[in-house]
Amino acid sequence: MPDATSCDGPGSEIPATGFVEDGYELWLRYRPLEPRYRAYCSLLLKYVVLPTVMLSPILAAARDEINRGVGGMLGCAPSSESAVSADGGLLVGSPTTLPLVASLDLPLDGLGREGYIICPVIVNGFATTVIAANEEIGLLYGAFALLRAIQMGRFDADTKIESAPKSRLRLLNHWDNLDGWVERGYAGRSIFNWWELPEYLDPRLVDYARANASIGINGAVVNNVNASSESLTDPFLEKAAALANRFRAYGLRVYLSAKFSSPMESGELATADPCDAAVKAWWKQTADRIYKLIPDFGGFLVKANSEGQPGPQDFHRTHADGANMLADALEPWGGVVIWRAFVYSDDVPDDRVGQCYSEMIPFDGLFRKNVILQVKNGPLDFQPREPINPLFGAMPETNVGIELQITKEYLGFETHLVYLGNLWQEVFSTDLDARGCGNIVARVIDGSMFASRLSLVAGVANVGSARNWCGSTFDQANWYSFGRFAWNPDCDADEVALEWIMLTLTNDPNGMRTIADIMKMSYETAVNYMAPLGLTHQMGTGHHHGPAPWIEDTGRSHWNPTYYNCADAKGIGFDRTDAGSGTVRQYSAKLARLYSSPYDVPENLLLWFHHLSWGFVMPNGKTLWEEIVYHYDRGLRGVERNRALWSTLRDTIDPARFYEVSAFLQIQARDAQMWRDACVAYFQSINGLETPEGSLRPTQSLEFYKALTFRHAPGSPG
Ligand code: GCW
């Protein structure tokens, strides 16, 4: 066995080559079942009955997946029959495509286009399992659900699953440039090779679509929100059409990020003013061109007047003017405009965190029906922990969707093991009124709180051309759980983690428990070593990787970590109460009251809302300074704990993935130490306090940490 010089932690030897598990199959591995369960399932899935009329691409995809999955797990694919003729059949159909299904009178009414039912039925006296749905895409989702149940050992003769998505649009947002570079991507280059398209379509594009369909994702924005106008030119639309043709059989629609200044950059117009008749006509023609090539095109995603992107304000028009003009162009074709709320001005703000709310609130009720406002989960920018964005629940007359970040720009890239399901559960379950009446963020997002027409959950993708798609085994869990939460924002993060573990890593009970334990604590662990107690944006400028709480001189004050920590000799934290920036008033009265008191605010948001003295006494009797250091220490211990837990799995996990995770945990432990030491050293340089009793002094001087540069960190522009 070769020596692993850079990764010599417990059990991290480099495995021999030729291993089987390289992560490519994600959670769709379909490995042989254990013999007894296999024999049982074989009796229940002897043959499959599909509509006999010419199979549509979606039904063919469902059939292929069933054959692949059942074949892999049972050793042979079920035979295809034209009718139920014995016990042990699997019937797949909708009432309109298979009269037999209509005659079963199943409760399909509430399941919409994409929902499905899996249940046992008796047909002609034979015990049969049916996958039924109103439309074909529901059948494909049902097929994946059945295969998931079998893989997890949860399928039997009584299995009954009824499911329908709570949000209508469940989209990945790829921040992929046309040259293949991925902004904030940590999994290699883009899977979309625009250079080779449309002639060459990498076979992995089908596997990408399968993976998405398996978790209910129904759209992909295939180019960066920092968009190039070239995406809307004919050659690139033909490339996008080739992608759409590949994805269609999996219910995955293509969307494009649209650059607002495209009419000008095309060289055809001198303005992109949304109220200008020629500009309106340009976008209508563009929509017509697109829909001729891609009849089921989803729509445009737009980042306007944010971080240097052009927008309607360049022409003294509003966000509503801009979004509505595009919406009118897409409306005849059924397309939508997804308008990002992530906007903040270039000027020095009172409080950067309050800007997207102030900018967007005036437009409530002014957007067209086919516009959705895409709002980041927190008011700042995908930080390790933020309170919810105050726009949720504050725009009753607007379709409001949520944007989550699956790629871990601010959470340690691909090498830190951080399971995001717990973060998303925290966001979706946040009570907007702080009174426990069920007015939670999930109700805004699924559209039920204000009866919105369109609902949307979007996630910034972590997918690249890395063999294992995401750059690390555990980041696959974030793609998986994103899909599960987009389908059902009320789902349970721990349960989703368990599903993913069983599908992807192991069914061994001890292994499952251990990995679930690692995943459950992983998010809080990362928050502890990076930004505890509501601290935020303490990362180095540009790359957003290592710690840099001392930075105070970037081009814009509100990009400086010092702007957010407000650390001085007396205290630390950003005062957003009435005595400070007052931004707390953007929340409902009840939440505002809760957050305004340093004694009532959830401890994990304390320094987001309050500037407190280093000696402030915490409820547990420690001073704030002691508590901060304690949290950093806890973060370190959490990573060490996860390393120790993982090291017990050497005989449970295949060598390749065992090695990768071991090595990455070693990197995470090194980085956590750096985070903790750099932050403690910096804050000590400000407050002059000793390291609290029981905690170690930083291992290096502050100067050492300040000199770290991370020059070649991936994913960062420029
Ligand atoms: O957090 C910032 C990222 C940018 C990104 C921007 C956004 C695509 O650092 O890389 O740009 O958010 O969400 O638009």
Side-chain angles (χ1 to χ4, degrees):
M1 193 69 77
D3 210 35
T5 44
S6 60
C7 296
D8 55 2
S12 64
E13 295 88 352
I14 299 169
T17 51
F19 43 78
V20 194
E21 296 281 3
D22 60 9
Y24 181 81
E25 294 158 296
L26 296 158
W27 46 87
L28 302 171
R29 290 160 58 251
Y30 306 136
R31 293 287 181 272
L33 302 174
E34 67 72 27
R36 270 185 47 208
Y37 186 54
R38 182 189 334 193
Y40 174 76
C41 290
S42 299
L43 289 175
L44 294 179
L45 299 166
K46 281 193 275 225
Y47 61 98
V48 59
V49 180
L50 283 146
T52 42
V53 285
M54 245 229 309
L55 275 191
S56 69
I58 294 182
L59 272 182
R63 178 204 52 202
D64 291 352
E65 199 66 32
I66 290 169
N67 285 342
R68 179 200 291 250
V70 174
M73 291 187 283
L74 304 187
C76 64
S79 64
S80 281
E81 305 291 335
S82 55
V84 175
S85 54
D87 282 341
L90 174 65
L91 186 62
V92 184
S94 62
T96 46
T97 53
L98 204 56
L100 198 51
V101 172
S103 71
L104 292 171
D105 209 15
L106 296 163
L108 292 168
D109 283 355
L111 296 179
R113 268 194 70 238
E114 297 174 303
Y116 56 84
I117 290 182
I118 301 171
C119 62
V121 286
I122 301 291
V123 178
N124 304 332
F126 297 119
T128 306
T129 300
V130 65
I131 304 178
N134 291 313
E135 297 203 16
E136 292 179 343
I137 185 62
L139 296 175
L140 178 65
Y141 290 152
F144 277 114
L146 176 72
L147 294 170
R148 183 159 56 230
I150 302 172
Q151 285 198 86
M152 294 190 296
R154 291 180 180 172
F155 172 66
D156 62 30
D158 299 319
T159 294
K160 187 157 193 256
I161 308 173
E162 228 182 276
S163 190
K166 293 197 177 158
S167 300
R168 199 163 123 194
L169 307 181
R170 306 174 300 278
L171 311 187
L172 287 186
N173 289 185
H174 287 267
W175 287 356
D176 296 17
N177 284 359
L178 301 182
D179 65 0
W181 178 78
V182 182
E183 183 157 350
R184 310 309 176 184
Y186 313 107
R189 293 178 68 75
S190 173
I191 54 163
F192 309 123
N193 191 330
W194 298 94
W195 181 252
E196 293 171 359
L197 286 166
E199 288 85 359
Y200 179 67
L201 283 136
D202 190 325
R204 77 185 280 163
L205 291 169
V206 171
D207 289 328
Y208 163 81
R210 284 178 54 231
N212 280 323
S214 74
I215 47 177
I217 291 172
N218 64 3
V221 184
V222 293
N223 61 328
N224 194 349
V225 284
N226 290 331
S228 157
S229 59
E230 264 180 281
S231 292
L232 301 179
T233 60
D234 286 335
F236 277 90
L237 289 179
E238 274 160 32
K239 294 168 194 276
L243 291 176
N245 292 341
R246 224 6 149 246
F247 296 163
R248 194 161 293 122
Y250 292 91
L252 190 71
R253 287 182 180 212
V254 161
Y255 294 67
L256 288 171
S257 295
K259 189 168 190 181
F260 202 78
S261 55
S262 294
M264 297 165 75
E265 288 180 33
S266 70
E268 291 164 41
L269 298 180
T271 178
D273 180 345
C275 298
D276 182 285
V279 171
K280 289 182 188 177
W282 190 93
W283 283 106
K284 275 191 190 297
Q285 282 154 15
T286 299
D288 296 351
R289 274 193 298 129
I290 294 175
Y291 279 92
K292 276 203 187 92
L293 288 166
I294 313 174
D296 55 353
F297 178 66
F300 292 139
L301 171 65
V302 188
K303 172 174 176 177
N305 292 121
S306 167
E307 299 187 330
Q309 292 301 309
Q313 292 174 345
D314 303 349
F315 309 94
H316 309 291
R317 308 292 183 187
T318 68
H319 287 288
D321 294 332
N324 290 343
M325 181 270 297
L326 293 176
D328 290 343
L330 295 176
E331 199 274 334
W333 301 99
V336 299
V337 171
I338 304 171
W339 196 261
R340 291 180 93 224
F342 178 68
V343 291
Y344 59 94
S345 109
D346 293 0
D347 306 328
V348 180
D350 294 341
D351 181 354
R352 150 86 193 270
V353 157
Q355 286 196 353
C356 81
Y357 179 94
S358 320
E359 286 242 20
M360 289 300 162
I361 279 292
F363 303 114
D364 189 29
L366 300 184
F367 290 111
R368 297 278 192 271
K369 288 197 164 51
N370 59 334
V371 173
I372 313 167
L373 201 60
Q374 180 167 299
V375 178
K376 287 189 181 182
N377 60 276
L380 183 52
D381 189 6
F382 300 135
Q383 293 305 302
R385 175 168 273 116
E386 297 186 36
I388 55 152
N389 197 309
L391 283 172
F392 297 129
M395 299 187 73
E397 305 296 328
T398 304
N399 299 314
V400 172
I402 195 167
E403 179 175 332
L404 305 167
Q405 196 180 45
I406 313 171
T407 191
K408 304 202 313 292
E409 174 183 355
Y410 294 100
L411 277 159
F413 300 2
E414 85 283 19
T415 47
H416 290 205
L417 194 166
V418 183
Y419 168 56
L420 299 175
N422 295 99
L423 158 59
W424 297 333
Q425 184 167 342
E426 181 175 303
V427 171
F428 283 122
S429 64
T430 301
D431 187 345
L432 296 168
D433 296 338
R435 61 180 175 193
C437 295
N439 280 336
I440 56 174
V441 172
R443 298 289 76 78
V444 179
I445 300 313
D446 67 21
S448 61
M449 189 178 286
F450 304 122
S452 319
R453 241 181 101 249
L454 285 170
S455 46
L456 161 77
V457 180
V460 181
N462 66 349
V463 170
S465 55
R467 180 71 191 157
N468 66 8
W469 301 91
C470 301
S472 76
T473 300
F474 275 91
D475 279 335
Q476 295 182 354
N478 292 327
W479 183 8
Y480 181 85
S481 70
F482 168 75
R484 303 293 279 151
F485 271 93
W487 183 274
N488 176 14
D490 296 312
C491 67
D492 179 76
D494 298 338
E495 172 54 28
V496 172
L498 207 58
E499 278 179 13
W500 175 81
I501 295 166
M502 285 192 265
L503 300 172
T504 311
L505 285 171
T506 181
N507 276 309
D508 170 76
N510 178 53
M512 282 161 54
R513 256 194 315 276
T514 307
I515 300 168
D517 198 4
I518 291 173
M519 290 171 78
K520 190 177 175 60
M521 293 309 295
S522 63
Y523 166 58
E524 206 58 54
T525 291
V527 173
N528 276 333
Y529 64 72
M530 285 183 183
L533 295 170
L535 282 174
T536 200
H537 214 308
Q538 299 300 288
M539 294 78 192
T541 310
H543 53 73
H544 296 161
H545 179 63
W550 47 81
I551 289 185
E552 55 181 355
D553 56 358
T554 64
R556 296 191 196 173
S557 70
H558 53 281
W559 283 352
N560 291 334
T562 54
Y563 172 89
Y564 294 100
N565 62 46
C566 300
D568 57 26
K570 289 197 187 129
I572 183 168
F574 200 118
D575 187 356
R576 297 198 159 91
T577 68
D578 281 341
S581 73
T583 313
V584 73
R585 270 180 279 119
Q586 293 182 342
Y587 292 93
S588 69
K590 296 226 171 173
L591 269 187
R593 203 168 315 129
L594 185 81
Y595 292 160
S596 290
S597 156
Y599 303 101
D600 296 334
V601 66
E603 191 178 277
N604 59 27
L605 293 175
L606 183 65
L607 302 176
W608 181 282
F609 287 108
H610 297 275
H611 183 85
L612 299 169
S613 76
W614 296 103
F616 176 83
V617 181
M618 302 290 293
N620 62 10
K622 289 197 178 88
T623 66
L624 176 59
W625 169 237
E626 287 166 345
E627 191 68 23
I628 290 174
V629 179
Y630 169 74
H631 274 265
Y632 284 122
D633 287 347
R634 226 168 123 184
L636 277 193
R637 283 201 305 276
V639 181
E640 286 308 340
R641 174 183 169 278
N642 281 352
R643 277 182 88 187
L645 284 172
W646 182 257
S647 73
T648 64
L649 300 174
R650 174 192 289 280
D651 297 329
T652 312
I653 305 295
D654 53 285
R657 291 186 299 177
F658 180 77
Y659 162 68
E660 178 231 275
V661 176
S662 304
F664 282 4
L665 280 166
Q666 185 170 356
I667 294 173
Q668 187 178 12
R670 179 201 65 197
D671 289 353
Q673 182 82 51
M674 166 182 76
W675 263 99
R676 181 262 180 208
D677 286 347
C679 293
V680 171
Y682 172 68
F683 293 135
Q684 282 185 305
S685 78
I686 301 279
N687 63 18
L689 295 169
E690 275 303 315
T691 319
E693 215 182 304
S695 289
L696 297 173
R697 294 217 172 107
T699 37
Q700 305 281 349
S701 68
L702 179 58
E703 282 55 47
F704 172 87
Y705 298 109
K706 283 187 168 178
L708 297 175
T709 51
F710 312 103
R711 267 185 356 103
H712 301 293
S716 126

